[in-house]
Amino acid sequence: MDQFKDLNRNTRRRNNRKKQQRQAKIMLAVGIAAVILLSAGIVLTVFIMHRRDTNPTVPTVRTTTPDEKTTEAEPSKETLPEDYAEILKEAEKYAAMYDYEKAVNYVREQVPDYESHVTLTDFITSCNTKRSQLIAWNNGNNSNVTHVFFHSLVIDEDIAWASYKRDDYNQVMTTIDEFNEILKEMYEEGYVLVHLSDMAVIETLSDGTERMTYQPIYLPSGKIPFVLSVDDTAYYEYMMNTGCATKLVIDENGKVINEYATYKTDSYGNFITDENGEPQVETVEYGLFDCVPLLDQFVEEHPDFSYHGAKGTIALTGYNGILGYRTSDIAYGDGLEEWPQAYEWHNTHIEEDKKEAARVAGAIKENGWKFASHTWGHMNMGTVVDQATGTITSERFVRDTTWWMEEVSPLIGGTDIIIFAFGADIGTWRNYPDDSEAYQYLKSLGFDYYCNVDSSVHNWVQLSSSAGGSGYLRQGRRNLDGTYMYKSLVALKRAEVQLEEILSDRKFQKQAADLLFAYTVYYLYELQDEANIELNLKSTVRSIQTLARYLA
């Protein structure tokens, strides 16, 4: 009897151990699944959707076979002359931005005897090898490229959330910390900045006709192109003393940075002005306080975040001037007799402001940015155009556009991009009608790229190869701001509830536990090589994600 008791006791112990092992497996799998879904939720919170697995299969242009290992040249011990070393450093920046052809040509043009330097010839060989391994995103069809946008950033949250603009800012603004985290997350997910003109350009065909045509974007496998824009970089008067930057300037090193000024107020909170009505400055500091210098710094540290040097597109109005400079003659000069309500105050240094604004705009463009019209008075196009037909319904349409072309365009060197204020397009989601009066007018002024706002989908792109003669590219933009953040958090909460319901299903638990456990053990085994911990951990996560999608 005693031996049977011992046998039963041992059997129970074995069963308990098996039960504990199974429970451990389940807990591990559920834990892993929870971590993965939580990570996905964090990504959602900062608006990053359609991860690497959405990158469509595209044909390669590489000359090597997939199984063939690339032989990198051994690093040479040659010491280059100082000027050659600087040339190589600049070429390496081009190569990091996937512009291998420019990198190679730069070395060849700047160093006549480059063939005598093994360091330079090795670099050229490396560039040619990497170039051969690039692939054309989505077979050259860029209709799935997403476009995200921001407004000016909040610097001082204590001031912003206590100001009269707090509700507005909470909806449409982003803080500096949030912006930096979004850039970091997008970079880690493989996103790469491109311009609208990288997506499509007007080409002249052999018969002389011009057509808007998609352009192949050549990137390494796993990289995802996206467009970025920034609205209202005028640093409006209403933003003064609300915790936001006040101007873009060029520092002593030639870099574009921000001015952050506060203005004197009386005991009632009204601005103290001079005899001309200009608000008086109280304090000033300079630094990286908004999208332009912050993105410049990020790309400087991570050049592979930019395709051929692309940054973003800055959408400018004109009624308060541009870039923090009060450059509008209508608002700050002599004004208009027929439009007196547009007048603000008399800027006694308006001509100097125009010259400095143009100088800053030139430096911004030189650094990889582009400019766009955002209409002169931040006008809602939907109120002055019949969107179904494109018929202009108000004289304000032509008047506002004319003011922008006269007061803003010359300061930025012109543009072919219009980013509609309020996201209000001149048409519906259908192609612009060939007889659209609004489109034909804007096209005649040189606008080829048209951007609205559409956060309902990950990407919305429309290309017409011939409308208006040479066609256009339209793209919907997604607002990465307080409103979208709130919607993302709501979606995350719903996902958490659904996850809880799924994990309570015992049948799902068993299947998930067995399969996820097997995948996890396989990849964790490889982590013994400490040098590959990060790489293999990413592989583990991706494999489990794939399996989790399969189970779902």
Side-chain angles (χ1 to χ4, degrees):
M1 289 292 292
D2 290 338
Q3 72 182 67
F4 282 109
K5 287 180 181 179
D6 292 337
L7 180 60
N8 289 335
R9 188 180 296 113
N10 292 333
T11 300
R12 284 196 300 272
R13 286 174 179 168
R14 285 196 299 271
N15 290 338
N16 286 337
R17 279 199 298 272
K18 289 181 180 179
K19 184 177 181 181
Q20 289 171 358
Q21 290 172 351
R22 181 170 295 278
Q23 288 175 341
K25 288 165 63 179
I26 292 174
M27 289 300 293
L28 176 61
V30 171
I32 292 170
V35 168
I36 293 168
L37 287 169
L38 180 59
S39 299
I42 292 172
V43 173
L44 177 63
T45 304
V46 292
F47 328 109
I48 311 305
M49 302 176 184
H50 294 255
R51 302 169 74 99
R52 281 193 177 87
D53 57 284
T54 63
N55 190 353
T57 302
V58 293
T60 179
V61 296
R62 61 169 63 94
T63 57
T64 55
T65 62
D67 296 328
E68 187 179 344
K69 292 185 178 180
T70 302
T71 302
E72 292 287 347
E74 290 293 327
S76 91
K77 297 180 180 179
E78 174 191 18
T79 300
L80 288 172
E82 186 175 346
D83 55 341
Y84 285 10
E86 286 300 314
I87 291 170
L88 177 60
K89 184 178 179 181
E90 186 70 10
E92 287 173 339
K93 183 181 72 173
Y94 299 142
M97 294 177 172
Y98 318 106
D99 199 346
Y100 300 112
E101 182 177 5
K102 183 175 182 179
V104 169
N105 290 338
Y106 184 75
V107 170
R108 287 173 172 167
E109 292 168 2
Q110 298 296 318
V111 185
D113 64 335
Y114 72 90
E115 292 180 324
S116 302
H117 299 277
V118 65
T119 300
L120 299 180
T121 56
D122 284 352
F123 172 74
I124 290 174
T125 299
S126 175
C127 284
N128 289 332
T129 299
K130 291 176 180 177
R131 184 184 177 194
S132 72
Q133 295 170 338
L134 299 177
I135 58 176
W137 169 261
N138 199 33
N139 292 332
N141 179 349
N142 298 320
S143 60
N144 63 347
V145 174
T146 195
H147 186 153
V148 301
F149 78 97
F150 301 86
H151 290 90
S152 293
L153 305 179
V154 170
I155 301 171
D156 192 320
E157 296 185 53
D158 290 336
I159 293 176
W161 308 143
S163 75
Y164 80 105
K165 296 295 294 181
R166 61 184 177 274
D167 292 337
D168 186 31
Y169 285 3
N170 198 30
Q171 293 180 54
V172 303
M173 298 296 216
T174 308
T175 68
I176 288 178
D177 287 343
E178 290 165 347
F179 180 74
N180 287 334
E181 284 301 312
I182 289 169
L183 293 185
K184 179 183 176 183
E185 183 70 23
M186 296 191 79
Y187 174 72
E188 290 176 350
E189 290 300 312
Y191 283 85
V192 178
L193 288 160
V194 299
H195 277 309
L196 292 165
S197 56
D198 292 319
M199 294 175 59
V201 296
I202 294 176
E203 292 184 342
T204 302
L205 305 184
S206 57
D207 61 0
T209 58
E210 295 182 329
R211 294 288 183 266
M212 180 67 79
T213 308
Y214 280 131
Q215 301 297 300
I217 299 174
Y218 289 107
L219 289 168
S221 177
K223 296 295 184 180
I224 310 166
F226 80 105
V227 179
L228 180 148
S229 56
V230 184
D231 287 5
D232 304 315
T233 312
Y235 303 111
Y236 298 119
E237 288 194 36
Y238 71 72
M239 298 172 69
M240 295 189 300
N241 285 5
T242 61
C244 297
T246 50
K247 190 179 287 185
L248 283 165
V249 299
I250 300 175
D251 70 7
E252 63 275 11
N253 299 313
K255 290 191 174 183
V256 177
I257 61 172
N258 285 111
E259 170 200 271
Y260 176 41
T262 61
Y263 295 84
K264 298 177 182 179
T265 58
D266 60 24
S267 57
Y268 296 98
N270 300 312
F271 290 112
I272 296 174
T273 63
D274 63 12
E275 65 275 11
N276 297 305
E278 182 173 0
Q280 297 299 286
V281 174
E282 185 169 36
T283 64
V284 180
E285 60 180 297
Y286 297 93
L288 313 184
F289 301 136
D290 207 356
C291 299
V292 171
L294 286 170
L295 183 58
D296 284 347
Q297 176 182 255
F298 191 87
V299 171
E300 187 175 338
E301 296 171 352
H302 308 88
D304 53 333
F305 190 51
S306 170
Y307 180 72
H308 294 193
K311 299 286 180 61
T313 299
I314 301 170
L316 294 174
T317 56
Y319 71 92
N320 268 178
I322 68 169
L323 309 177
Y325 300 87
R326 305 310 175 204
T327 55
S328 171
D329 286 307
I330 296 171
Y332 303 99
D334 296 330
L336 293 175
E337 184 177 347
E338 70 274 20
W339 196 254
Q341 57 266 50
Y343 187 79
E344 294 285 349
W345 46 268
H346 186 62
N347 182 1
T348 58
H349 44 85
I350 190 169
E351 293 304 320
E352 290 83 354
D353 276 3
K354 288 179 184 178
K355 290 179 182 178
E356 189 60 18
R359 189 172 81 95
V360 174
I364 291 171
K365 289 171 65 175
E366 183 70 21
N367 209 18
W369 291 80
K370 293 194 175 187
F371 288 101
S373 168
H374 203 43
T375 76
W376 185 88
H378 205 274
M379 183 178 63
N380 186 330
M381 290 289 195
T383 65
V384 294
V385 175
D386 183 333
Q387 292 175 313
T389 63
T391 302
I392 298 172
T393 59
S394 170
E395 64 179 7
R396 290 190 297 126
F397 177 88
V398 173
R399 180 177 63 202
D400 183 277
T401 306
T402 299
W403 287 357
W404 194 92
M405 296 297 292
E406 291 176 350
E407 290 203 333
V408 181
S409 185
L411 299 179
I412 62 172
T415 184
D416 53 6
I417 306 168
I418 183 165
I419 292 177
F420 298 112
F422 301 106
D425 209 323
I426 56 172
T428 65
W429 59 270
R430 295 183 175 87
N431 283 21
Y432 291 146
D434 288 337
D435 59 353
S436 168
E437 186 180 9
Y439 168 67
Q440 293 290 350
Y441 177 73
L442 293 175
K443 182 70 173 176
S444 71
L445 296 176
F447 291 105
D448 298 318
Y449 302 92
Y450 301 78
C451 297
N452 51 46
V453 172
D454 187 355
S455 293
S456 64
V457 292
H458 182 258
N459 50 267
W460 186 86
V461 178
Q462 182 183 94
L463 182 143
S464 170
S465 62
S466 59
S470 57
Y472 61 81
L473 181 75
R474 288 172 81 190
Q475 189 174 37
R477 303 185 303 150
R478 302 161 62 209
N479 50 308
L480 304 191
D481 52 24
T483 297
Y484 208 81
M485 225 177 273
Y486 174 77
K487 291 180 179 179
S488 297
L489 289 173
V490 170
L492 176 59
K493 184 63 179 176
R494 289 174 181 165
E496 288 174 347
V497 172
Q498 292 173 353
L499 172 62
E500 199 172 313
E501 293 175 354
I502 291 172
L503 293 180
S504 64
D505 186 324
R506 289 175 179 260
K507 182 178 179 181
F508 172 83
Q509 287 179 0
K510 183 179 183 304
Q511 292 175 341
D514 290 338
L515 291 170
L516 290 177
F517 183 77
Y519 265 79
T520 303
V521 169
Y522 172 76
Y523 279 103
L524 290 181
Y525 177 78
E526 295 185 11
L527 296 185
Q528 296 177 61
D529 181 359
E530 293 183 3
N532 292 319
I533 285 179
E534 184 178 357
L535 176 64
N536 284 309
L537 186 57
K538 289 182 178 179
S539 298
T540 303
V541 172
R542 291 192 191 109
S543 296
I544 295 177
Q545 283 176 322
T546 302
L547 186 61
R549 285 194 297 273
Y550 171 79
L551 289 174

